Short mmCIF file of all heavy atoms in Angstrom, two decimals:
data_model
loop_
_atom_site.label_atom_id
_atom_site.label_comp_id
_atom_site.label_asym_id
_atom_site.label_seq_id
_atom_site.Cartn_x
_atom_site.Cartn_y
_atom_site.Cartn_z
N MET B 43 97.24 127.62 29.86
CA MET B 43 96.64 126.43 30.48
C MET B 43 97.49 125.18 30.23
O MET B 43 97.84 124.45 31.13
CB MET B 43 95.21 126.21 29.94
CG MET B 43 94.22 127.24 30.47
SD MET B 43 94.03 127.24 32.27
CE MET B 43 92.85 125.90 32.47
N ASN B 44 97.86 124.97 28.95
CA ASN B 44 98.67 123.79 28.63
C ASN B 44 100.04 123.84 29.32
O ASN B 44 100.53 122.83 29.82
CB ASN B 44 98.88 123.72 27.11
CG ASN B 44 97.66 123.11 26.42
OD1 ASN B 44 96.85 122.47 27.08
ND2 ASN B 44 97.53 123.34 25.13
N LEU B 45 100.61 125.01 29.35
CA LEU B 45 101.92 125.15 29.98
C LEU B 45 101.83 124.79 31.47
O LEU B 45 102.67 124.07 32.01
CB LEU B 45 102.40 126.60 29.81
CG LEU B 45 103.80 126.87 30.38
CD1 LEU B 45 104.82 125.97 29.71
CD2 LEU B 45 104.17 128.33 30.20
N HIS B 46 100.80 125.27 32.10
CA HIS B 46 100.62 124.97 33.52
C HIS B 46 100.44 123.48 33.74
O HIS B 46 101.01 122.89 34.66
CB HIS B 46 99.40 125.75 34.04
CG HIS B 46 99.20 125.59 35.52
ND1 HIS B 46 98.33 124.67 36.06
CD2 HIS B 46 99.77 126.23 36.58
CE1 HIS B 46 98.39 124.74 37.38
NE2 HIS B 46 99.25 125.68 37.72
N PHE B 47 99.67 122.85 32.86
CA PHE B 47 99.43 121.41 32.98
C PHE B 47 100.74 120.63 32.83
O PHE B 47 101.03 119.73 33.59
CB PHE B 47 98.43 120.98 31.89
CG PHE B 47 98.16 119.50 31.88
CD1 PHE B 47 97.41 118.91 32.88
CD2 PHE B 47 98.65 118.70 30.85
CE1 PHE B 47 97.17 117.56 32.87
CE2 PHE B 47 98.41 117.35 30.84
CZ PHE B 47 97.67 116.77 31.85
N ASN B 48 101.55 121.00 31.84
CA ASN B 48 102.82 120.30 31.62
C ASN B 48 103.77 120.45 32.80
O ASN B 48 104.50 119.52 33.15
CB ASN B 48 103.48 120.84 30.35
CG ASN B 48 102.77 120.34 29.10
OD1 ASN B 48 102.06 119.33 29.16
ND2 ASN B 48 102.94 121.04 28.00
N GLN B 49 103.77 121.59 33.39
CA GLN B 49 104.64 121.80 34.54
C GLN B 49 104.23 120.89 35.70
O GLN B 49 105.08 120.33 36.39
CB GLN B 49 104.58 123.26 34.98
CG GLN B 49 105.42 124.17 34.08
CD GLN B 49 105.33 125.62 34.50
OE1 GLN B 49 104.35 126.03 35.11
NE2 GLN B 49 106.33 126.40 34.16
N SER B 50 102.94 120.70 35.87
CA SER B 50 102.47 119.81 36.93
C SER B 50 102.92 118.37 36.66
O SER B 50 103.39 117.66 37.55
CB SER B 50 100.94 119.86 37.00
OG SER B 50 100.53 121.14 37.42
N LEU B 51 102.81 117.95 35.41
CA LEU B 51 103.25 116.60 35.03
C LEU B 51 104.74 116.41 35.32
O LEU B 51 105.16 115.44 35.92
CB LEU B 51 102.99 116.37 33.55
CG LEU B 51 101.74 115.60 33.16
CD1 LEU B 51 101.74 115.33 31.68
CD2 LEU B 51 101.63 114.29 33.94
N ALA B 52 105.52 117.35 34.88
CA ALA B 52 106.97 117.25 35.05
C ALA B 52 107.32 117.19 36.53
O ALA B 52 108.22 116.47 36.95
CB ALA B 52 107.66 118.44 34.40
N LYS B 53 106.63 117.95 37.31
CA LYS B 53 106.89 117.98 38.74
C LYS B 53 106.65 116.60 39.36
O LYS B 53 107.46 116.09 40.13
CB LYS B 53 105.99 119.03 39.38
CG LYS B 53 106.29 119.28 40.85
CD LYS B 53 105.37 120.38 41.36
CE LYS B 53 105.44 120.47 42.88
NZ LYS B 53 104.44 121.38 43.41
N ASN B 54 105.53 116.00 38.98
CA ASN B 54 105.23 114.67 39.51
C ASN B 54 106.25 113.65 39.04
O ASN B 54 106.71 112.80 39.81
CB ASN B 54 103.82 114.23 39.04
CG ASN B 54 102.73 114.99 39.77
OD1 ASN B 54 102.95 115.49 40.87
ND2 ASN B 54 101.57 115.08 39.15
N TYR B 55 106.60 113.71 37.78
CA TYR B 55 107.56 112.75 37.22
C TYR B 55 108.90 112.88 37.91
O TYR B 55 109.55 111.91 38.22
CB TYR B 55 107.70 113.02 35.71
CG TYR B 55 108.58 112.02 35.02
CD1 TYR B 55 108.08 110.78 34.63
CD2 TYR B 55 109.92 112.32 34.74
CE1 TYR B 55 108.90 109.86 34.00
CE2 TYR B 55 110.73 111.42 34.11
CZ TYR B 55 110.21 110.18 33.74
OH TYR B 55 111.02 109.28 33.11
N HIS B 56 109.30 114.08 38.19
CA HIS B 56 110.61 114.31 38.78
C HIS B 56 110.69 113.71 40.19
O HIS B 56 111.73 113.22 40.60
CB HIS B 56 110.88 115.81 38.83
CG HIS B 56 112.24 116.15 39.34
ND1 HIS B 56 113.38 115.90 38.64
CD2 HIS B 56 112.65 116.68 40.53
CE1 HIS B 56 114.43 116.28 39.36
NE2 HIS B 56 114.02 116.76 40.51
N SER B 57 109.63 113.76 40.93
CA SER B 57 109.68 113.33 42.32
C SER B 57 109.54 111.81 42.45
O SER B 57 109.87 111.25 43.48
CB SER B 57 108.57 114.01 43.11
OG SER B 57 107.31 113.55 42.67
N GLU B 58 109.07 111.16 41.40
CA GLU B 58 108.78 109.73 41.50
C GLU B 58 110.01 108.87 41.82
O GLU B 58 109.95 108.04 42.72
CB GLU B 58 108.10 109.25 40.21
CG GLU B 58 107.35 107.94 40.39
CD GLU B 58 106.27 108.05 41.44
OE1 GLU B 58 105.69 109.14 41.62
OE2 GLU B 58 106.00 107.05 42.09
N PRO B 59 111.14 109.04 41.13
CA PRO B 59 112.31 108.22 41.47
C PRO B 59 112.73 108.37 42.92
O PRO B 59 113.15 107.40 43.55
CB PRO B 59 113.39 108.76 40.53
CG PRO B 59 112.63 109.33 39.38
CD PRO B 59 111.37 109.89 39.98
N GLN B 60 112.62 109.54 43.45
CA GLN B 60 112.97 109.73 44.86
C GLN B 60 112.03 108.97 45.77
O GLN B 60 112.45 108.36 46.74
CB GLN B 60 112.92 111.22 45.21
CG GLN B 60 114.20 111.96 44.80
CD GLN B 60 114.26 113.34 45.40
OE1 GLN B 60 113.27 114.05 45.42
NE2 GLN B 60 115.41 113.73 45.91
N LYS B 61 110.75 109.02 45.45
CA LYS B 61 109.77 108.26 46.25
C LYS B 61 110.10 106.78 46.22
O LYS B 61 110.10 106.11 47.24
CB LYS B 61 108.35 108.47 45.69
CG LYS B 61 107.76 109.82 46.02
CD LYS B 61 106.31 109.82 45.56
CE LYS B 61 105.77 111.23 45.43
NZ LYS B 61 104.44 111.22 44.80
N VAL B 62 110.38 106.26 45.01
CA VAL B 62 110.68 104.84 44.86
C VAL B 62 111.92 104.48 45.66
O VAL B 62 111.97 103.47 46.35
CB VAL B 62 110.89 104.49 43.37
CG1 VAL B 62 111.44 103.08 43.22
CG2 VAL B 62 109.57 104.63 42.62
N ARG B 63 112.91 105.34 45.59
CA ARG B 63 114.15 105.07 46.30
C ARG B 63 113.92 105.06 47.81
O ARG B 63 114.38 104.16 48.51
CB ARG B 63 115.20 106.13 45.92
CG ARG B 63 116.49 105.96 46.68
CD ARG B 63 117.56 106.90 46.14
NE ARG B 63 118.66 107.01 47.08
CZ ARG B 63 119.62 106.09 47.21
NH1 ARG B 63 119.59 105.00 46.46
NH2 ARG B 63 120.58 106.24 48.08
N VAL B 64 113.20 106.03 48.30
CA VAL B 64 112.93 106.10 49.74
C VAL B 64 112.15 104.88 50.19
O VAL B 64 112.47 104.24 51.19
CB VAL B 64 112.16 107.39 50.06
CG1 VAL B 64 111.61 107.34 51.48
CG2 VAL B 64 113.07 108.60 49.90
N LEU B 65 111.14 104.51 49.40
CA LEU B 65 110.33 103.35 49.76
C LEU B 65 111.14 102.07 49.69
O LEU B 65 111.03 101.19 50.54
CB LEU B 65 109.12 103.24 48.82
CG LEU B 65 108.05 104.30 49.04
CD1 LEU B 65 106.98 104.19 47.96
CD2 LEU B 65 107.41 104.14 50.41
N SER B 66 112.00 101.96 48.68
CA SER B 66 112.82 100.76 48.53
C SER B 66 113.79 100.61 49.70
O SER B 66 113.95 99.53 50.26
CB SER B 66 113.63 100.83 47.22
OG SER B 66 112.76 100.84 46.12
N GLU B 67 114.40 101.70 50.08
CA GLU B 67 115.35 101.64 51.20
C GLU B 67 114.64 101.29 52.49
O GLU B 67 115.14 100.51 53.30
CB GLU B 67 116.08 102.98 51.33
CG GLU B 67 117.07 103.21 50.21
CD GLU B 67 117.85 104.49 50.38
OE1 GLU B 67 117.48 105.29 51.27
OE2 GLU B 67 118.81 104.68 49.64
N ALA B 68 113.46 101.85 52.67
CA ALA B 68 112.69 101.54 53.87
C ALA B 68 112.32 100.06 53.89
O ALA B 68 112.40 99.40 54.92
CB ALA B 68 111.43 102.41 53.91
N TRP B 69 111.94 99.54 52.71
CA TRP B 69 111.55 98.13 52.63
C TRP B 69 112.75 97.24 52.96
O TRP B 69 112.62 96.26 53.70
CB TRP B 69 111.02 97.81 51.23
CG TRP B 69 110.46 96.43 51.15
CD1 TRP B 69 109.18 96.05 51.39
CD2 TRP B 69 111.18 95.23 50.83
NE1 TRP B 69 109.07 94.69 51.24
CE2 TRP B 69 110.26 94.17 50.91
CE3 TRP B 69 112.51 94.97 50.49
CZ2 TRP B 69 110.65 92.85 50.64
CZ3 TRP B 69 112.89 93.66 50.24
CH2 TRP B 69 111.97 92.62 50.32
N VAL B 70 113.90 97.56 52.43
CA VAL B 70 115.09 96.76 52.69
C VAL B 70 115.40 96.75 54.18
O VAL B 70 115.68 95.70 54.76
CB VAL B 70 116.30 97.31 51.90
CG1 VAL B 70 117.60 96.64 52.37
CG2 VAL B 70 116.10 97.04 50.41
N LYS B 71 115.33 97.89 54.80
CA LYS B 71 115.66 97.97 56.22
C LYS B 71 114.65 97.18 57.07
O LYS B 71 115.01 96.57 58.07
CB LYS B 71 115.69 99.43 56.68
CG LYS B 71 116.96 100.12 56.21
CD LYS B 71 117.33 101.29 57.08
CE LYS B 71 116.53 102.53 56.74
NZ LYS B 71 117.07 103.72 57.42
N GLU B 72 113.40 97.17 56.62
CA GLU B 72 112.36 96.48 57.38
C GLU B 72 112.38 94.98 57.14
O GLU B 72 112.12 94.19 58.05
CB GLU B 72 110.98 97.02 56.98
CG GLU B 72 110.75 98.47 57.36
CD GLU B 72 110.41 98.61 58.84
OE1 GLU B 72 109.78 97.69 59.37
OE2 GLU B 72 110.80 99.62 59.43
N ASN B 73 112.67 94.57 55.91
CA ASN B 73 112.39 93.19 55.51
C ASN B 73 113.61 92.36 55.13
O ASN B 73 113.51 91.14 54.98
CB ASN B 73 111.44 93.19 54.31
CG ASN B 73 110.10 93.80 54.68
OD1 ASN B 73 109.31 93.18 55.36
ND2 ASN B 73 109.88 95.02 54.24
N SER B 74 114.73 92.97 54.96
CA SER B 74 115.87 92.23 54.46
C SER B 74 116.58 91.47 55.57
O SER B 74 116.40 91.75 56.75
CB SER B 74 116.86 93.18 53.79
OG SER B 74 117.37 94.08 54.75
N TYR B 75 117.38 90.52 55.17
CA TYR B 75 118.28 89.85 56.10
C TYR B 75 119.51 89.42 55.34
O TYR B 75 119.50 89.35 54.11
CB TYR B 75 117.58 88.66 56.76
CG TYR B 75 117.28 87.54 55.81
CD1 TYR B 75 118.14 86.45 55.70
CD2 TYR B 75 116.14 87.58 55.03
CE1 TYR B 75 117.88 85.43 54.82
CE2 TYR B 75 115.87 86.55 54.14
CZ TYR B 75 116.74 85.47 54.03
OH TYR B 75 116.48 84.47 53.16
N CYS B 76 120.56 89.10 56.04
CA CYS B 76 121.79 88.74 55.39
C CYS B 76 121.70 87.30 54.88
O CYS B 76 121.45 86.37 55.65
CB CYS B 76 122.94 88.87 56.39
SG CYS B 76 124.52 88.43 55.66
N THR B 77 121.93 87.13 53.59
CA THR B 77 121.87 85.79 53.01
C THR B 77 123.14 85.01 53.32
O THR B 77 123.20 83.81 53.08
CB THR B 77 121.69 85.87 51.49
OG1 THR B 77 122.72 86.66 50.93
CG2 THR B 77 120.34 86.49 51.15
N ASN B 78 124.12 85.68 53.81
CA ASN B 78 125.40 85.03 54.10
C ASN B 78 125.42 84.41 55.50
O ASN B 78 125.88 83.29 55.68
CB ASN B 78 126.53 86.05 53.94
CG ASN B 78 127.90 85.39 53.98
OD1 ASN B 78 128.11 84.37 53.34
ND2 ASN B 78 128.81 85.97 54.71
N CYS B 79 124.94 85.15 56.49
CA CYS B 79 125.00 84.67 57.87
C CYS B 79 123.63 84.65 58.55
O CYS B 79 123.52 84.31 59.71
CB CYS B 79 125.98 85.51 58.68
SG CYS B 79 125.35 87.14 59.09
N SER B 80 122.58 85.07 57.81
CA SER B 80 121.21 85.06 58.31
C SER B 80 120.96 86.05 59.44
O SER B 80 120.00 85.92 60.19
CB SER B 80 120.80 83.65 58.77
OG SER B 80 120.80 82.78 57.68
N ALA B 81 121.79 87.07 59.55
CA ALA B 81 121.48 88.15 60.49
C ALA B 81 120.17 88.81 60.08
O ALA B 81 119.85 88.89 58.90
CB ALA B 81 122.62 89.17 60.49
N GLN B 82 119.43 89.30 61.04
CA GLN B 82 118.06 89.73 60.78
C GLN B 82 117.95 91.12 60.16
O GLN B 82 116.91 91.49 59.64
CB GLN B 82 117.26 89.69 62.08
CG GLN B 82 116.83 88.27 62.43
CD GLN B 82 115.98 87.65 61.35
OE1 GLN B 82 114.92 88.17 61.00
NE2 GLN B 82 116.42 86.55 60.79
N SER B 83 118.97 91.92 60.22
CA SER B 83 118.84 93.26 59.65
C SER B 83 120.15 93.71 59.02
O SER B 83 121.23 93.27 59.41
CB SER B 83 118.42 94.26 60.73
OG SER B 83 119.40 94.34 61.72
N LEU B 84 120.01 94.59 58.04
CA LEU B 84 121.18 95.16 57.39
C LEU B 84 121.33 96.62 57.79
O LEU B 84 120.36 97.30 58.04
CB LEU B 84 121.02 95.06 55.86
CG LEU B 84 120.87 93.66 55.30
CD1 LEU B 84 120.67 93.73 53.79
CD2 LEU B 84 122.06 92.79 55.65
N ALA B 85 122.56 97.06 57.85
CA ALA B 85 122.82 98.46 58.16
C ALA B 85 122.97 99.25 56.86
O ALA B 85 123.35 98.69 55.83
CB ALA B 85 124.09 98.59 58.99
N GLU B 86 122.67 100.51 56.93
CA GLU B 86 122.69 101.36 55.74
C GLU B 86 123.99 102.14 55.68
O GLU B 86 124.43 102.73 56.67
CB GLU B 86 121.51 102.32 55.79
CG GLU B 86 121.32 103.10 54.52
CD GLU B 86 120.06 103.93 54.57
OE1 GLU B 86 119.43 104.01 55.64
OE2 GLU B 86 119.69 104.49 53.55
N PHE B 87 124.60 102.14 54.51
CA PHE B 87 125.79 102.97 54.32
C PHE B 87 125.42 104.44 54.34
O PHE B 87 124.27 104.81 54.10
CB PHE B 87 126.45 102.65 52.97
CG PHE B 87 127.36 101.46 53.00
CD1 PHE B 87 127.02 100.32 52.30
CD2 PHE B 87 128.54 101.47 53.73
CE1 PHE B 87 127.85 99.21 52.30
CE2 PHE B 87 129.37 100.38 53.74
CZ PHE B 87 129.02 99.24 53.03
N ALA B 88 126.39 105.28 54.56
CA ALA B 88 126.17 106.72 54.41
C ALA B 88 125.75 107.01 52.97
O ALA B 88 126.09 106.26 52.05
CB ALA B 88 127.43 107.49 54.76
N ASN B 89 125.06 108.09 52.77
CA ASN B 89 124.56 108.44 51.43
C ASN B 89 125.69 108.54 50.41
O ASN B 89 126.80 108.94 50.72
CB ASN B 89 123.82 109.79 51.48
CG ASN B 89 122.45 109.63 52.09
OD1 ASN B 89 121.92 108.53 52.18
ND2 ASN B 89 121.87 110.74 52.50
N ASN B 90 125.35 108.16 49.18
CA ASN B 90 126.25 108.33 48.03
C ASN B 90 127.47 107.42 48.05
O ASN B 90 128.46 107.70 47.39
CB ASN B 90 126.70 109.79 47.91
CG ASN B 90 125.52 110.72 47.68
OD1 ASN B 90 124.58 110.34 47.00
ND2 ASN B 90 125.57 111.90 48.25
N LYS B 91 127.41 106.36 48.82
CA LYS B 91 128.44 105.34 48.66
C LYS B 91 128.32 104.76 47.27
O LYS B 91 127.25 104.33 46.86
CB LYS B 91 128.23 104.24 49.69
CG LYS B 91 129.06 104.44 50.94
CD LYS B 91 130.42 103.80 50.77
CE LYS B 91 131.22 103.96 52.05
NZ LYS B 91 132.54 103.38 51.95
N PRO B 92 129.41 104.70 46.51
CA PRO B 92 129.32 104.29 45.11
C PRO B 92 129.06 102.80 44.91
O PRO B 92 128.48 102.42 43.92
CB PRO B 92 130.68 104.68 44.54
CG PRO B 92 131.58 104.73 45.73
CD PRO B 92 130.73 105.16 46.89
N VAL B 93 129.47 101.98 45.82
CA VAL B 93 129.45 100.54 45.55
C VAL B 93 128.21 99.86 46.10
O VAL B 93 127.52 99.15 45.39
CB VAL B 93 130.72 99.89 46.15
CG1 VAL B 93 130.70 98.38 45.88
CG2 VAL B 93 131.96 100.53 45.54
N ALA B 94 127.92 100.05 47.35
CA ALA B 94 126.84 99.30 47.97
C ALA B 94 125.98 100.21 48.83
O ALA B 94 126.41 101.28 49.25
CB ALA B 94 127.41 98.17 48.82
N ASP B 95 124.74 99.77 49.08
CA ASP B 95 123.80 100.58 49.85
C ASP B 95 123.64 100.08 51.28
O ASP B 95 123.39 100.85 52.19
CB ASP B 95 122.43 100.56 49.18
CG ASP B 95 122.46 101.30 47.85
OD1 ASP B 95 122.98 102.41 47.81
OD2 ASP B 95 121.95 100.75 46.88
N PHE B 96 123.79 98.76 51.44
CA PHE B 96 123.58 98.17 52.76
C PHE B 96 124.68 97.16 53.05
O PHE B 96 125.30 96.62 52.15
CB PHE B 96 122.22 97.46 52.81
CG PHE B 96 121.07 98.41 52.64
CD1 PHE B 96 120.56 98.67 51.38
CD2 PHE B 96 120.49 99.04 53.73
CE1 PHE B 96 119.49 99.55 51.21
CE2 PHE B 96 119.43 99.92 53.58
CZ PHE B 96 118.93 100.17 52.32
N TYR B 97 124.91 96.93 54.30
CA TYR B 97 125.88 95.92 54.66
C TYR B 97 125.44 95.21 55.94
O TYR B 97 124.65 95.73 56.72
CB TYR B 97 127.27 96.54 54.85
CG TYR B 97 127.37 97.46 56.05
CD1 TYR B 97 127.89 96.99 57.25
CD2 TYR B 97 126.95 98.78 55.95
CE1 TYR B 97 127.99 97.83 58.34
CE2 TYR B 97 127.04 99.62 57.04
CZ TYR B 97 127.56 99.15 58.24
OH TYR B 97 127.65 99.98 59.32
N CYS B 98 125.97 94.01 56.11
CA CYS B 98 125.67 93.24 57.29
C CYS B 98 126.67 93.59 58.39
O CYS B 98 127.88 93.50 58.18
CB CYS B 98 125.74 91.75 56.95
SG CYS B 98 125.48 90.70 58.40
N GLU B 99 126.15 93.99 59.53
CA GLU B 99 127.04 94.36 60.62
C GLU B 99 127.72 93.14 61.23
O GLU B 99 128.71 93.25 61.93
CB GLU B 99 126.26 95.10 61.70
CG GLU B 99 125.85 96.49 61.27
CD GLU B 99 125.09 97.22 62.37
OE1 GLU B 99 124.15 96.62 62.92
OE2 GLU B 99 125.41 98.38 62.65
N ASN B 100 127.16 91.99 60.96
CA ASN B 100 127.68 90.76 61.55
C ASN B 100 128.87 90.20 60.76
O ASN B 100 129.88 89.82 61.32
CB ASN B 100 126.56 89.73 61.65
CG ASN B 100 126.96 88.55 62.52
OD1 ASN B 100 127.53 88.73 63.59
ND2 ASN B 100 126.64 87.35 62.05
N CYS B 101 128.73 90.14 59.43
CA CYS B 101 129.76 89.51 58.61
C CYS B 101 130.31 90.44 57.53
O CYS B 101 131.15 90.05 56.74
CB CYS B 101 129.21 88.23 57.97
SG CYS B 101 127.99 88.55 56.68
N ASN B 102 129.78 91.66 57.47
CA ASN B 102 130.25 92.68 56.51
C ASN B 102 129.94 92.36 55.05
O ASN B 102 130.53 92.95 54.15
CB ASN B 102 131.76 92.92 56.67
CG ASN B 102 132.06 93.75 57.91
OD1 ASN B 102 131.28 94.60 58.30
ND2 ASN B 102 133.19 93.47 58.53
N GLU B 103 129.03 91.44 54.82
CA GLU B 103 128.55 91.23 53.46
C GLU B 103 127.87 92.50 52.97
O GLU B 103 127.16 93.16 53.73
CB GLU B 103 127.56 90.05 53.43
CG GLU B 103 127.09 89.68 52.05
CD GLU B 103 128.11 88.86 51.28
OE1 GLU B 103 129.17 88.54 51.83
OE2 GLU B 103 127.83 88.54 50.13
N GLN B 104 128.10 92.86 51.69
CA GLN B 104 127.53 94.11 51.18
C GLN B 104 126.41 93.84 50.20
O GLN B 104 126.46 92.90 49.42
CB GLN B 104 128.63 94.94 50.52
CG GLN B 104 129.70 95.36 51.52
CD GLN B 104 130.74 96.28 50.90
OE1 GLN B 104 130.72 96.54 49.70
NE2 GLN B 104 131.64 96.76 51.72
N TYR B 105 125.42 94.70 50.24
CA TYR B 105 124.25 94.56 49.37
C TYR B 105 123.96 95.86 48.66
O TYR B 105 124.21 96.94 49.18
CB TYR B 105 123.02 94.13 50.20
CG TYR B 105 123.20 92.79 50.83
CD1 TYR B 105 123.70 92.68 52.12
CD2 TYR B 105 122.89 91.64 50.12
CE1 TYR B 105 123.88 91.44 52.69
CE2 TYR B 105 123.07 90.40 50.69
CZ TYR B 105 123.57 90.31 51.97
OH TYR B 105 123.75 89.09 52.54
N GLU B 106 123.34 95.71 47.48
CA GLU B 106 123.07 96.87 46.64
C GLU B 106 121.61 96.89 46.26
O GLU B 106 121.04 95.84 45.96
CB GLU B 106 123.95 96.77 45.40
CG GLU B 106 123.92 97.96 44.51
CD GLU B 106 124.88 97.78 43.35
OE1 GLU B 106 125.59 96.77 43.32
OE2 GLU B 106 124.90 98.63 42.46
N LEU B 107 121.02 98.06 46.27
CA LEU B 107 119.65 98.19 45.79
C LEU B 107 119.64 98.18 44.27
O LEU B 107 120.12 99.09 43.63
CB LEU B 107 119.04 99.50 46.28
CG LEU B 107 118.25 99.45 47.58
CD1 LEU B 107 117.61 100.80 47.82
CD2 LEU B 107 117.18 98.38 47.54
N LYS B 108 119.05 97.13 43.69
CA LYS B 108 119.10 96.98 42.24
C LYS B 108 118.37 98.10 41.51
O LYS B 108 118.77 98.50 40.43
CB LYS B 108 118.46 95.64 41.84
CG LYS B 108 119.21 94.44 42.37
CD LYS B 108 120.58 94.30 41.73
CE LYS B 108 121.24 92.98 42.05
NZ LYS B 108 121.65 92.88 43.46
N SER B 109 117.32 98.62 42.11
CA SER B 109 116.51 99.62 41.42
C SER B 109 117.30 100.89 41.14
O SER B 109 116.96 101.67 40.28
CB SER B 109 115.28 99.95 42.27
OG SER B 109 115.69 100.50 43.51
N LYS B 110 118.37 101.08 41.89
CA LYS B 110 119.13 102.30 41.76
C LYS B 110 119.80 102.43 40.39
O LYS B 110 120.02 103.52 39.90
CB LYS B 110 120.19 102.28 42.84
CG LYS B 110 120.79 103.63 43.17
CD LYS B 110 121.67 103.46 44.40
CE LYS B 110 122.59 104.63 44.61
NZ LYS B 110 123.49 104.37 45.73
N LYS B 111 120.12 101.29 39.78
CA LYS B 111 120.89 101.32 38.54
C LYS B 111 120.03 101.35 37.28
O LYS B 111 120.55 101.45 36.20
CB LYS B 111 121.81 100.10 38.47
CG LYS B 111 123.02 100.25 39.37
CD LYS B 111 124.02 99.15 39.11
CE LYS B 111 125.34 99.43 39.79
NZ LYS B 111 126.31 98.34 39.58
N ALA B 112 118.74 101.26 37.46
CA ALA B 112 117.86 101.16 36.30
C ALA B 112 117.97 102.40 35.41
O ALA B 112 118.23 103.48 35.91
CB ALA B 112 116.41 100.99 36.75
ZN1 LIG Q 1670 125.85 88.65 57.50
#
């Protein structure tokens, strides 16, 4: 019984960072804007870009999701 319970906990804990990341990225795409040129939306880099997560298509300013480094 205890073993089964712990496995359930671990499963939930493991999936949480992914949920946060997905929600954070969705929020950025919906709500962000370029602070450099005030363009209304940012474009998303391909997955696993090491430096930045989003960039402005208008002026190429790059942005990073801070939560990723926690
Ligand atoms: Zn811009």
Side-chain angles (χ1 to χ4, degrees):
M43 288 299 278
N44 279 342
L45 182 59
H46 184 264
F47 177 72
N48 286 339
Q49 283 178 334
S50 294
L51 261 187
K53 187 178 169 188
N54 287 336
Y55 184 81
H56 184 70
S57 67
E58 199 59 31
Q60 278 192 317
K61 285 187 198 172
V62 170
R63 177 172 164 79
V64 168
L65 288 174
S66 297
E67 288 183 350
W69 187 90
V70 169
K71 284 205 280 190
E72 294 282 327
N73 297 285
S74 64
Y75 68 96
C76 180
T77 55
N78 190 45
C79 74
S80 296
Q82 282 300 301
S83 63
L84 300 178
E86 188 175 8
F87 277 113
N89 283 343
N90 299 324
K91 265 272 182 180
V93 179
D95 292 313
F96 296 91
Y97 68 97
C98 176
E99 288 181 312
N100 193 44
C101 71
N102 285 327
E103 184 79 2
Q104 297 184 355
Y105 296 93
E106 187 177 356
L107 266 186
K108 296 293 191 290
S109 62
K110 199 172 165 185
K111 284 190 169 178

